[in-house]
Amino acid sequence: MTRVLSGIQPTGDVHLGNFLGALRQWAIDQHTHDSFYTAVDLHAVTVQQDPLELRSKTLETMATLVAVGLDPEVCTLFVQSHVPCHTELSWLLECTVSFGELRRMTQFKDKSAKQSDSGQEHVSAGLFTYPALMAADILIYDADRVPVGDDQRQHLELTRDIAERFNSRYGETFVLPEAAIPKIAARVMDLQEPTNKMSKSSESPMGTVGIFEETSAIAKKFKRAITDSENQVRFDFEAKPGVTNLLSILGAATDRDPESLADEYHQYGPLKNDTAEAIITVLEPVQNRRAELLADPAELGRIIARGAEKASEVAVVTVQRAKDAMGFLSAG
Ligand code: ATP
Ligand code: LTN
């Protein structure tokens, strides 16, 4: 069976972009692939985190993964730092990727620029080498498929380049992974600034829809979503980013084609209402399930411990294979 791996940072609040662009695909993939999903806490600390908050967010993220439908009996759910060989492989890969390749990553450019703009002089070296750790996350499970939103496309291309280079230098060691990017809602945009992607770290509370927000707050955000002054419903990202974003969200929530949905609306008000209603219908059971899980920390603890064990079994084998290929002397 082919392998899937993907990850989500345990920072901020999980939003509609994460849900539609990534998590829903994970839930589908678990039934057809041997799937590994992880809360990437080691990636989270590339920007400074409050220790108490990192711990509680990591736990909440694990509860979220189960709540969106990932079944710990079917797939492997784990916390990245519980499998220490991710960082070991990351070092080996850091020594094969070039400075120039890392410098081209748009996520690094965007995040480091954002930090400098907000007066933070300190950009960590980890933020720069982040893609090597992400490549390690993927390659360590021999993943064939990586379901992610559109913003991760470049990191996946770099992961393939890293794997190819390693294989050609040291012999066939890693599987070359493919990005699996959804056709609809691969890039959910901010409801207030529809030319920016909805993001955990954005400072646009009215533009970002958290999947665990009160349903009345969600409805309000859709009602106030920015559109344009034309009052014509058309799927056209260049000319009408706000309306197109609403159509994409409605399409993703109802499993319908966003372009043909446009023909059913003549005004923005009903489109906003129907989009809010469709999203709330999808999210309500997820919200209830997460509340139940957070009320049962022992069960969540068991899921996390089991996941670490299952993930480690696979990961240690791959790291050893990579170390052998590179010529490290074995201890025994
Ligand atoms: P940040 O903006 O702080 O980097 P994020 O919102 O991108 O955080 P991540 O934890 O980095 O969240 O991403 C988890 C998954 O969600 C990734 O697969 C990513 O591609 C996907 N994703 C994130 N934002 C969006 C979006 N706006 N639309 C679709 N998919 C998204
Ligand atoms: N870089 C990703 C999170 C991430 C990831 C991964 C995604 C870390 N490791 C492995 C897929 C596979 C992000 O910022 N969204």
Side-chain angles (χ1 to χ4, degrees):
M1 202 178 347
T2 49
R3 283 262 173 78
V4 163
L5 173 119
S6 201
I8 181 165
Q9 301 196 48
T11 50
D13 295 320
V14 176
H15 54 74
L16 220 45
N18 304 133
F19 180 68
L20 299 176
L23 301 179
R24 279 209 329 173
Q25 190 55 50
W26 300 7
I28 297 168
D29 281 350
Q30 69 180 331
H31 298 295
T32 45
H33 303 266
D34 183 16
S35 305
F36 292 77
Y37 300 120
T38 176
V40 290
D41 52 352
L42 295 166
H43 280 94
V45 299
T46 52
V47 297
Q48 196 177 340
Q49 301 292 336
D50 173 72
L52 284 180
E53 185 153 323
L54 178 65
R55 204 167 288 134
S56 62
K57 284 284 177 197
T58 304
L59 200 61
E60 277 176 28
T61 302
M62 294 307 285
T64 300
L65 297 188
V66 181
V68 299
L70 301 173
D71 180 346
E73 299 297 321
V74 172
C75 60
T76 303
L77 301 177
F78 68 101
V79 175
Q80 183 190 31
S81 67
H82 293 177
V83 185
C85 44
H86 282 235
T87 39
E88 190 177 6
L89 182 59
S90 174
W91 176 254
L92 306 185
L93 301 183
E94 264 179 59
C95 295
T96 64
V97 68
S98 75
F99 183 83
E101 282 171 316
L102 292 174
R103 198 173 40 190
R104 282 198 288 278
M105 294 296 109
T106 51
Q107 183 170 303
F108 171 73
K109 288 195 257 186
D110 291 350
K111 288 201 174 177
S112 55
K114 221 168 166 183
Q115 284 193 26
S116 313
D117 289 350
S118 64
Q120 279 171 267
E121 292 299 311
H122 184 95
V123 174
S124 77
L127 192 65
F128 186 66
T129 58
Y130 177 117
L133 178 59
M134 177 163 167
D137 299 338
I138 297 167
L139 301 178
I140 212 168
Y141 295 99
D142 289 331
D144 309 273
R145 176 181 163 90
V146 184
V148 282
D150 180 69
D151 60 312
Q152 294 303 311
R153 200 185 284 276
Q154 195 187 29
H155 285 158
L156 256 297
E157 278 161 15
L158 181 61
T159 301
R160 285 175 66 90
D161 291 344
I162 291 175
E164 269 181 326
R165 180 177 301 132
F166 193 104
N167 288 351
S168 76
R169 275 193 195 169
Y170 304 113
E172 278 309 304
T173 306
F174 295 124
V175 171
L176 294 193
E178 302 263 357
I181 295 168
K183 285 202 185 67
I184 306 172
R187 196 172 188 83
V188 175
M189 307 309 271
D190 187 290
L191 297 188
Q192 290 297 314
E193 293 170 56
T195 49
N196 293 345
K197 92 166 178 119
M198 193 178 282
S199 156
K200 284 190 192 137
S201 45
S202 97
E203 271 147 35
S204 170
M206 281 306 285
T208 310
V209 179
I211 67 170
F212 298 109
E213 279 186 60
E214 298 246 353
T215 52
S216 58
I218 296 178
K220 199 169 174 187
K221 289 185 179 182
F222 276 104
K223 205 166 251 156
R224 301 218 182 135
I226 295 289
T227 47
D228 51 59
S229 54
E230 214 180 50
N231 222 12
Q232 189 192 36
V233 179
R234 221 164 8 97
F235 190 90
D236 178 347
F237 182 74
E238 292 301 317
K240 303 175 77 69
V243 172
T244 303
N245 190 35
L246 290 172
L247 286 166
S248 301
I249 296 172
L250 178 60
T254 55
D255 274 326
R256 298 208 32 213
D257 169 40
E259 292 192 43
S260 59
L261 276 170
D263 301 336
E264 294 173 20
Y265 293 92
H266 304 290
Q267 285 179 314
Y268 295 161
L271 171 63
K272 289 178 177 180
N273 285 339
D274 286 3
T275 307
E277 208 172 289
I279 281 297
I280 289 168
T281 306
V282 177
L283 291 183
E284 264 175 340
V286 177
Q287 295 192 345
N288 296 338
R289 178 86 183 105
R290 191 182 76 143
E292 281 167 25
L293 278 154
L294 288 174
D296 187 357
E299 171 61 5
L300 202 51
R302 275 192 292 277
I303 293 171
I304 292 170
R306 177 86 188 102
E309 211 177 290
K310 278 168 46 187
S312 295
E313 274 169 28
V314 177
V316 291
V317 175
T318 324
V319 175
Q320 194 53 52
R321 199 200 305 146
K323 286 175 77 178
D324 289 344
M326 280 181 99
F328 286 94
L329 182 66
S330 65

